[in-house]
Amino acid sequence: MKLYRFLTGPDDASFCHKITAALNKGWELSGSPTYAFNAATGTMQCGQAVTKEVEGKDYSPDIKLGEQ
C-alpha cells in the first residue's frame, strides 16, 4: 500500500528535523514544499507532502501513519 502524509510546522529547525526524521524512516518527498504566513501566530509555516510504500499491509483508516 502507498501511504501519504502532509507534514507542517513553523519555519525553523524543528520543521527540518521533522522532515529529516520522516526521510530516515523511509518516507519520500512528494512535490514541492509550501510556505505560508499564519496570521493568527504572526509566523511563517512550512508544509511538505511525503509518501511511503509499505509491503504486506492493507490500508485501514485506523493506521497510525507516523508509526509506519
Side-chain angles (χ1 to χ4, degrees):
M1 90 177 127
K2 190 166 195 169
L3 302 176
Y4 169 89
R5 293 173 69 193
F6 187 72
L7 304 176
T8 62
D11 180 24
D12 62 17
S14 69
F15 180 74
C16 295
H17 285 285
K18 184 184 288 191
I19 298 299
T20 299
L23 293 173
N24 281 283
K25 289 181 180 179
W27 292 85
E28 296 182 11
L29 300 177
S30 179
S32 298
T34 61
Y35 196 57
F37 182 72
N38 182 334
T41 63
T43 60
M44 294 302 290
Q45 299 286 290
C46 299
Q48 175 66 57
V50 292
T51 60
K52 183 177 185 179
E53 191 70 41
V54 178
E55 299 295 328
K57 292 187 180 181
D58 293 324
Y59 173 75
S60 166
D62 298 327
I63 291 173
K64 304 287 187 223
L65 297 174
E67 296 175 4
Q68 297 298 314

